[in-house]
Amino acid sequence: MMIEAKNLSCIRSHKQLFSELSFSLDSGQLLLVEGENGSGKSTLLRILAGLRRPDEGELFWNKKPLVSALSDYSKQMTWVSHRNGIKESLTGRENLHAHAALSQIDARNIDEALRETGLKAHSNRLVQQYSAGMKRRLSLSRLLIKRAKLWILDEPQASLDKEGIALFERIASDHLLQNGMIIMSSHHDVQLGKHSVVKLNLQS
Amino acid sequence: MSTLNSLFFLCRRDVLIAFRHRQQALNPLLFFVLVCLLFPLGIGASADLLKAIAPGTIWIAALLAVLMSLDSLFRTDFEDGSLELMILENQSLTLLVATRVFAHWLMTVLPLLLLAPIMAVALGLSSNVLIILLTSLLLGTPVLSFVGAIAAALIIVIPHNGMLLALLVLPLYVPALIFGTSAVNNAALGISPEGPLYILAALLVLSLTLSPPAIAAALRTGVSQ
Amino acid sequence: MMQWFHRMASPAWFYRFSGKLIPFLILTFTPLLIIGLYGGLVTAPSDYQQGDAFRIIYVHVPAAWMSLFIYIVMAVYAVITLIWRIKLAEILLISSAPVGVGFTILALATGSLWGKPMWGTWWSWDARLTSELLLLFLYLGVIGLYRAIEEKRTASRFVSILVLVGTVNIPIIHYSVEWWNTLHQGSTITLTEKPSMHIDMLIPLLMMAIAFKVFYGISLLIQARAELVEREFNSRWVRELVEENSDG
């Protein structure tokens, strides 16, 4: 499994966000996208997730152009943006069930995922009663249900408390150990010890 | 799990959400009744006049109620990020979108059909025409929902867009309005309403097939911003 | 390299090329308009039924044709925008809309002027005029949507979808309005329904039609050049252009 970017560039409202961006990422690696606000981190991640097309350049998934491998890619990738993708008027559990049904994945992992993210006790409460940190945890528990190879995460630690951040680091570390791949942006330092972290700095 | 299964699940989810917001689902109904009420107040309550304008009044009230309910159709999905996830699913976005519009019609527009006969009788429409009125609305309101959903998807990135939505949608509503009302008018005059009803059915088939791809394209564009 | 050429070189080329084309178009437009108007207003025989009032068709009919023609051209640009993502098509699409609005208003205004002597009222719910009015709203919707979205490339894609939806709907709207019209009032004399037109009447009409098409070309190019510079004000060719102009 590998993802590769060649000469990506992106223009938004007359502004060149980045250009000639190339990198590749293998199994077991984490790509940390750094940069100031407005440097195009989110936009880059959205391009990598396949939500947006680069203005120039191309993406490859397992050596195949991404545009022709989209179906396989969407099975192997989970996207968590800064928006949680959660329905406020459903319970935590209902949200995950709806998500599993839409992605056509097994709902068996839901209980385990809720336990691991510490939401088990709250899983039958409406999400609108959750705190911001709990919503974030619920959103991250999608990662544990789908168990995709590649995770693309936009600011995963945002609105998490210390415990939540530790939880995230544990999950991420496990994923890398199992030869998963992570692409993420962050304002925080990521403590992942021995794992191989590739840094990508977007200068504005 | 099959595609059909997940479409069913999506529909059930939307119905559940709508059910938990019963209060909001009631608003289009109240709006519908109020618009029906304004016509006699504005035009005068002479029985002959009301009888003549009743089909048009009910159709216009239903059309405006659908229009009012459209804005929230994709906006919450867009804002809470679930639209992104829907697009990234390994499933036909066209089908997912069609399911969502259908669920929306089921929960917000279908209840209007229960009120329409009451308002029709209040406006003096004779009771033998009611079945034609209901048929025309049953065929016509999904057209309004599906065509309107295209516009709702087009303005997804624009905040405070009620007027723009009306500008985009209302010209496209003209055919459904014309054939819907003329079916009822025909029936009231004792002429066969079949012609307009058939055309309404054709419009329904057209909008069911052509608008979901357009909605999907618009949503993709909105998310790619 | 190809893509770079596509995106950067082609707008610059278009800008220079269109700058040279506009004078020629104006040179074609002016005589066509003068001859067409002279033929229509002076030499063409007056109508046996409507007298001289019918002469307004020399403006009304070509304007109504253009209002529809421009929408169809926009649909072509919309397809190009959606499939090939060519910037120039986006710009030509949105620059066509105001010209379309202009012709639609012209058709409506002349139709209403013509209605006064014919029907004794400025506005009659004639099928053609009503469809024309709805077409005006379709155009205004396109412009409104484009203006409301800040990111212009996204806006162009949204507008393209809207234009294609409109294109599918125009015949349906037209047909339904016609149906509605025959239902509610007996068909009156309509402007364009002439069983046979005298050749002396026809030639000026065709000349006017061509003149209007050329006029569309001129105003489209002028609009598109302005839009192009506005969108690309950061790019190299616009900066070079500004320097050139400030030198000379």
Side-chain angles (χ1 to χ4, degrees):
Chain A
M1 295 279 164
M2 74 179 289
I3 185 168
E4 203 180 352
K6 277 189 190 152
N7 298 323
L8 295 186
S9 74
C10 176
I11 301 164
R12 217 181 142 164
S13 306
H14 302 301
K15 209 181 135 205
Q16 182 99 33
L17 287 176
F18 47 80
S19 61
E20 306 278 304
L21 203 63
S22 300
F23 58 83
S24 77
L25 197 72
D26 253 318
S27 293
Q29 283 186 315
L30 182 143
L31 179 76
L32 185 63
V33 182
E34 294 175 318
E36 295 160 30
N37 284 337
S39 61
K41 282 181 305 204
S42 286
T43 310
L44 173 63
L45 292 178
R46 296 174 78 78
I47 289 173
L48 294 176
L51 286 169
R52 186 189 166 103
R53 282 202 204 181
D55 288 292
E56 278 165 47
E58 218 178 337
L59 282 167
F60 297 89
W61 174 245
N62 294 332
K63 307 272 181 203
K64 266 186 266 169
L66 186 60
V67 268
S68 62
L70 269 180
S71 164
D72 180 53
Y73 190 65
S74 72
K75 277 185 219 149
Q76 311 266 13
M77 188 269 298
T78 306
W79 159 249
V80 176
S81 72
H82 57 272
R83 294 168 179 149
N84 287 319
I86 294 172
K87 290 283 163 207
E88 298 258 329
S89 41
L90 297 178
T91 68
R93 184 183 297 275
E94 282 167 348
N95 262 301
L96 294 185
H97 272 287
H99 171 68
L102 265 186
S103 313
Q104 305 190 326
I105 44 180
D106 214 319
R108 266 184 311 194
N109 290 330
I110 288 179
D111 267 306
E112 203 194 318
L114 283 168
R115 200 176 311 121
E116 209 158 328
T117 47
L119 290 171
K120 183 94 199 222
H122 312 282
S123 63
N124 290 326
R125 274 169 60 195
L126 293 185
V127 171
Q128 59 203 16
Q129 299 162 350
Y130 281 23
S131 68
M134 285 162 77
K135 285 178 193 165
R136 199 67 191 148
R137 281 168 184 239
L138 185 62
S139 175
L140 290 174
S141 57
R142 288 205 334 257
L143 297 168
L144 300 173
I145 299 175
K146 190 168 167 192
R147 303 215 176 269
K149 263 288 181 205
L150 170 64
W151 296 355
I152 301 181
L153 317 171
D154 194 1
E155 303 276 352
Q157 298 122 311
S159 64
L160 285 177
D161 54 7
K162 225 180 217 166
E163 236 173 286
I165 290 177
L167 166 80
F168 166 71
E169 283 167 355
R170 198 170 63 241
I171 296 174
S173 168
D174 281 351
H175 183 58
L176 294 174
L177 266 181
Q178 291 160 18
N179 271 330
M181 298 152 76
I182 300 177
I183 299 175
M184 61 178 278
S185 64
S186 179
H187 280 310
H188 302 261
D189 231 12
V190 195
Q191 310 282 333
L192 285 172
K194 55 190 187 306
H195 294 291
S196 97
V197 174
V198 186
K199 289 196 177 180
L200 185 70
N201 203 338
L202 298 180
Q203 270 127 6
S204 51
Chain B
M1 242 192 263
S2 68
T3 304
L4 212 59
N5 217 325
S6 32
L7 293 183
F8 173 73
F9 218 99
L10 180 65
C11 188
R12 214 181 72 176
R13 184 201 76 174
D14 281 2
V15 168
L16 187 63
I17 292 175
F19 184 72
R20 293 208 173 130
H21 292 278
R22 291 183 286 282
Q23 196 63 46
Q24 277 178 35
L26 217 57
N27 289 343
L29 298 181
L30 299 178
F31 182 82
F32 173 73
V33 173
L34 275 172
V35 174
C36 286
L37 184 71
L38 288 180
F39 275 86
L41 291 178
I43 294 175
S46 114
D48 282 345
L49 194 59
L50 281 187
K51 202 172 172 177
I53 62 158
T57 305
I58 290 185
W59 255 90
I60 289 174
L63 182 152
L64 293 177
V66 173
L67 174 69
M68 297 295 279
S69 72
L70 281 174
D71 182 45
S72 62
L73 181 52
F74 297 114
R75 177 160 308 277
T76 41
D77 285 13
F78 179 66
E79 281 165 2
D80 68 19
S82 42
L83 187 58
E84 292 170 6
L85 300 183
M86 212 158 84
I87 285 171
L88 291 177
E89 299 297 356
N90 184 28
Q91 299 209 35
S92 147
L93 182 61
T94 306
L95 284 180
L96 295 181
V97 156
T99 309
R100 294 228 53 210
V101 179
F102 173 73
H104 175 263
W105 177 80
L106 203 65
M107 293 309 284
T108 34
V109 186
L110 194 59
L112 288 181
L113 299 198
L114 302 176
L115 277 179
I118 303 173
M119 297 319 292
V121 170
L123 289 170
L125 213 58
S126 55
S127 53
N128 54 355
V129 183
L130 291 185
I131 191 78
I132 299 299
L133 175 72
L134 276 181
T135 316
S136 76
L137 286 172
L138 204 59
L139 291 171
T141 48
V143 177
L144 303 181
S145 284
F146 272 83
V147 171
I150 305 176
L154 286 171
I155 55 160
I156 200 165
V157 296
I158 312 165
H160 315 299
N161 47 27
M163 280 306 181
L164 185 59
L165 181 65
L167 175 62
L168 298 186
V169 167
L170 291 180
L172 304 180
Y173 277 1
V174 167
L177 175 68
I178 286 176
F179 292 114
T181 49
S182 65
V184 187
N185 277 329
N186 278 8
L189 294 172
I191 313 167
S192 156
E194 275 171 23
L197 285 182
Y198 282 138
I199 297 174
L200 263 188
L203 290 180
L204 176 61
V205 172
L206 262 185
S207 62
L208 285 180
T209 47
L210 293 185
S211 54
I215 299 167
L219 292 178
R220 271 184 218 282
T221 306
V223 162
S224 76
Q225 204 192 16
Chain C
M1 190 62 203
M2 256 324 275
Q3 265 194 336
W4 178 86
F5 180 78
H6 231 214
R7 274 177 0 104
M8 301 315 261
S10 140
W13 178 83
F14 171 80
Y15 190 84
R16 283 175 204 284
F17 175 72
S18 59
K20 287 185 190 123
L21 193 61
I22 288 175
F24 287 106
L25 289 179
I26 293 176
L27 275 180
T28 337
F29 169 68
T30 325
L32 270 174
L33 182 77
I34 292 170
I35 299 171
L37 277 182
Y38 184 80
L41 300 184
V42 183
T43 47
S46 55
D47 187 71
Y48 73 98
Q49 225 180 355
Q50 306 172 21
D52 278 337
F54 96 99
R55 291 182 195 277
I56 203 160
I57 71 163
Y58 290 106
V59 181
H60 175 80
V61 171
W65 283 346
M66 283 311 290
S67 64
L68 209 57
F69 173 79
I70 291 176
Y71 204 94
I72 294 165
V73 173
M74 281 165 65
V76 175
Y77 292 138
V79 170
I80 298 174
T81 302
L82 287 175
I83 298 178
W84 290 288
R85 295 167 182 259
I86 292 176
K87 217 180 229 178
L88 199 56
E90 294 172 11
I91 284 165
L92 290 174
L93 165 58
I94 199 59
S95 308
S96 296
V99 193
V101 170
F103 278 119
T104 314
I105 290 177
L106 186 62
L108 281 170
T110 48
S112 135
L113 279 178
W114 180 84
K116 185 63 182 165
M118 287 303 110
W119 299 317
T121 158
W122 294 111
W123 180 262
S124 137
W125 289 95
D126 164 65
R128 274 162 211 280
L129 282 184
T130 313
S131 301
E132 195 72 27
L133 187 60
L134 287 167
L135 182 63
L136 176 65
F137 283 111
L138 289 181
Y139 272 119
L140 293 177
V142 167
I143 295 174
L145 183 64
Y146 186 76
R147 293 264 170 84
I149 301 172
E150 234 167 274
E151 169 82 36
K152 289 308 173 198
R153 295 218 69 177
T154 318
S156 298
R157 296 186 67 78
F158 276 125
V159 161
S160 301
I161 299 170
L162 179 63
V163 167
L164 290 182
V165 171
T167 313
V168 174
N169 273 281
I170 283 176
I172 303 176
I173 293 175
H174 184 78
Y175 173 67
S176 59
V177 169
E178 217 142 71
W179 157 291
W180 162 83
N181 191 248
T182 52
L183 214 65
H184 289 260
Q185 62 184 79
S187 193
T188 38
I189 343 149
T190 30
L191 274 179
T192 44
E193 267 168 30
K194 289 251 144 259
S196 65
M197 211 176 210
H198 196 274
I199 191 79
D200 289 340
M201 293 176 169
L202 194 63
I203 288 174
L205 186 65
L206 291 179
M207 289 192 82
M208 286 301 287
I210 299 169
F212 275 22
K213 285 222 163 58
V214 178
F215 180 78
Y216 164 56
I218 297 168
S219 32
L220 172 67
L221 290 183
I222 293 174
Q223 290 265 358
R225 280 159 64 89
E227 178 78 22
L228 196 62
V229 172
E230 196 181 320
R231 272 213 206 180
E232 304 254 306
F233 72 91
N234 249 344
S235 65
R236 199 187 312 144
W237 71 267
V238 175
R239 260 179 268 141
E240 279 170 9
L241 194 78
V242 173
E243 276 163 29
E244 245 171 63
N245 283 356
S246 57
D247 284 348

